[in-house]
Amino acid sequence: MKRIKTIETRNLKNSAVTGGCGECQTSCQSACKTSCGVANQPCEQKPAKGSR
Amino acid sequence: MVHQFKLGGYNIVLDVNSGSVHSVDDVAYDMIALYPEYPREEIISQMLDKYRGRPDVTEDELGECYSDIQALVDAKKLYSPDEFEKIAALPKPHVGTIKALCLHVAHTCNLNCGYCFAGQGRYRGEREVMNYETGCAAIDFLIEHSGRRHNLEVDFFGGEPLMCWETVKKIVAYARERERECGKNFRFTLTTNGLLIDDDVIEFCNREMHNVVLSLDGRREVNDRFRKTLTGQGSYDIILPKFKKFVEARGDRGYYIRGTYTHFNTDFTEDILHMADLGFDQLSMEPVVCPPDEPYALTEDDLPVLLEQYEKLAFAMLERRRAGRGFAFYHFILDLEHGPCVYKRITGCGSGTEYLAVTPKGELYPCHQFVGDPKFRLGSLSEGLTNKELQAEFGKCNIYTRPECRECWARFYCAGGCAANAYHATGRIDRIYEYGCRLLKKRIECAIMLKVAEFEEENSHKE
């Protein structure tokens, strides 16, 4: 694509199939303690084929 | 839903429901915006008109760009539908499972910070510290309620947790013993003002603590405005050498130097850069949490300044990264490829359900920010979780139960925001703290921009 470059991202819909284990860090346990943000928390599962 | 924005010289298109991020040129940027409203021919006609005189903008070229957009729509990477509401309506996976505790080992503090949301560590109660038996009971409670979860988290919090350091060490030793028996993995964190850091603390934390959060507000005069000792002395000169020694000894292990900004330092980027110049490279800076009538509360007039500051910070980080002097800012960290799954993005921090705060007496609250408010007491370590109704209310909160989140492009990045902030702003945990939302949206835009810049720079090197 000449005018559009797509950055590789985790596909949220696919993550509904593979995700939900709950092993990831609770967001408030890292640095915030006063505001919520989840996007910076890494997933604990190793990337699996087709998980994107 | 698509969110488009221009920042740092990049045209960025976020497909909200798939999480796809596209870096596009001006023409594609405009065409994507027009796509839902107009048919192909109308869009091409409008583009030919707008970009008249540009040799690269021909009918054929525009037709090709339209086909590319169509291909992304077909691949559900643009204007993809939100198909997650049904997941949110289902009972949560692992319902009743608790995985994290904020352990208030000390409701007392050796600093007297003017803006403290915890009332100088007392949380509207008396000064007290947790005893070893209560700490062990909390560890047992967490294991007992953790179901099949392997990774369990305990944050030693206060007040100032180093004021009962020997108890903290003993609780960690007890948890290590129990984790071996139960097949669990404890991740400990410590949040400290730094005053009591010594070699023993450094050695123990670097062995046992997954992360340490060290409180510093930035420049000396900014830090010392609020972060004073009990005798009124600024804490900067006392804690800085300790933090430097601690971080140096920490090697690759996680830490954050964490500050708070207020109405009095809306130029907080200077504070973050100051901390980076001191040699710290994992930084966090949070807006103050306080009633709106406090003189240091952030105001409506501050907001445009704050939004500009986040952009300024992102540009400064970009420059420093290019110069090999990069640092991490907590709210700009974004793992696009391997970030959280949609379950987490819908339900958020888990306060009141999988995350609880424990007071020195062993009382349970949905999180540290609700401690001391009797309406939010969930039970205690000895009684168990008795306020099931309140817990269910927290369990119901997700991005689809908050009307404002349904239409928000950033909903999968904040997961509906902080229940405590929402409660303090609106009196309800299932609403939003709108001021915080506006800050968060800017932070997410900056974080995505930094990712796009990284991607574009890597690509240009390859070319």
Side-chain angles (χ1 to χ4, degrees), chain A residues 1-13 15-16 19-47 52, chain B residues 18-19 21-25 56 61 68 83 94 99-102 149-151 153 155 187 213 258 286 330 333-334 336-345 349 355 368-369 413 421 456:
Chain A
M1 291 184 188
K2 280 185 197 161
R3 299 182 183 275
I4 303 174
K5 292 176 208 161
T6 299
I7 298 165
E8 190 163 358
T9 53
R10 185 179 194 185
N11 184 297
L12 292 188
K13 193 174 176 195
S15 81
C21 71
E23 292 290 352
C24 53
Q25 187 178 34
T26 304
S27 38
C28 239
Q29 293 288 66
S30 40
C32 64
K33 289 286 183 195
T34 49
S35 63
C36 184
V38 296
N40 50 13
Q41 303 296 318
C43 176
E44 288 285 333
Q45 291 183 19
K46 290 207 168 71
R52 297 247 175 260
Chain B
S18 69
V21 175
H22 311 281
S23 174
V24 306
D25 73 359
D56 62 317
E61 278 277 333
D68 289 343
E83 299 175 279
H94 320 291
K99 68 173 186 180
L101 294 181
C102 181
R149 292 270 163 80
H150 178 63
N151 295 317
E153 300 155 37
D155 185 27
R187 286 175 179 161
V213 180
R258 182 211 183 278
E286 293 279 340
Y330 179 72
I333 295 171
L334 197 55
L336 290 176
E337 286 186 60
H338 204 53
C341 64
V342 76
Y343 294 97
K344 179 149 183 152
R345 290 173 187 267
C349 68
Y355 169 60
H368 52 286
Q369 286 205 62
Y413 295 85
N421 286 353
E456 291 285 7

Side-chain angles (χ1 to χ4, degrees), chain B residues 88-100:
Chain B
L90 294 172
K92 285 183 183 174
H94 320 291
V95 69
T97 299
I98 298 167
K99 68 173 186 180

Side-chain angles (χ1 to χ4, degrees), chain B residues 18-37:
Chain B
S18 69
S20 298
V21 175
H22 311 281
S23 174
V24 306
D25 73 359
D26 289 337
V27 174
Y29 190 85
D30 290 343
M31 288 181 82
I32 289 169
L34 294 171
Y35 178 87
E37 300 289 329

Side-chain angles (χ1 to χ4, degrees), chain B residues 26-222:
Chain B
D26 289 337
V27 174
Y29 190 85
D30 290 343
M31 288 181 82
I32 289 169
L34 294 171
Y35 178 87
E37 300 289 329
Y38 299 98
R40 182 181 189 277
E41 281 63 36
E42 172 64 27
I43 294 174
I44 290 176
S45 161
Q46 283 192 32
M47 291 293 98
L48 283 170
D49 207 27
K50 180 170 181 181
Y51 291 96
R52 188 174 298 142
R54 279 254 308 252
D56 62 317
V57 185
T58 64
E59 195 166 345
D60 283 353
E61 278 277 333
L62 291 169
E64 196 181 321
C65 184
Y66 187 91
S67 300
D68 289 343
I69 292 169
Q70 186 62 56
L72 289 170
V73 173
D74 293 343
K76 295 193 174 176
K77 291 185 170 184
L78 261 184
Y79 294 107
S80 61
D82 185 339
E83 299 175 279
F84 308 123
E85 190 167 358
K86 55 184 182 294
I87 294 176
L90 294 172
K92 285 183 183 174
H94 320 291
V95 69
T97 299
I98 298 167
K99 68 173 186 180
L101 294 181
C102 181
L103 219 52
H104 290 225
V105 287
H107 273 192
T108 181
C109 195
N110 47 7
L111 279 189
N112 187 23
C113 304
Y115 55 39
C116 183
F117 78 88
Q120 279 61 51
R122 294 191 306 275
Y123 291 85
R124 293 178 263 188
E126 57 198 61
R127 291 193 186 276
E128 54 188 340
V129 293
M130 185 178 280
N131 62 33
Y132 173 63
E133 289 72 24
T134 305
C136 294
I139 297 296
D140 291 341
F141 176 87
L142 179 54
I143 291 172
E144 194 184 313
H145 290 80
S146 62
R148 295 173 63 186
R149 292 270 163 80
H150 178 63
N151 295 317
L152 306 181
E153 300 155 37
V154 173
D155 185 27
F156 293 101
F157 199 63
E160 173 48 45
L162 294 185
M163 290 179 80
C164 58
W165 178 233
E166 291 306 316
T167 307
V168 169
K169 288 199 292 186
K170 282 163 65 185
I171 295 170
V172 169
Y174 177 74
R176 291 290 180 223
E177 228 173 79
R178 293 286 337 262
E179 77 178 352
R180 276 192 294 274
E181 295 161 15
C182 306
K184 303 288 183 184
N185 177 44
F186 273 98
R187 286 175 179 161
F188 296 106
T189 54
L190 175 82
T191 302
T192 177
N193 64 30
L195 228 53
L196 295 175
I197 289 173
D198 60 16
D199 288 346
D200 179 52
V201 171
I202 291 173
E203 188 276 326
F204 185 87
C205 288
N206 289 348
R207 193 175 70 238
E208 296 288 359
M209 300 287 171
H210 179 69
N211 195 6
V212 291
V213 180
L214 312 172
S215 301
L216 176 72
D217 284 351
R219 292 163 289 182
R220 178 187 282 108
E221 65 275 18
V222 171

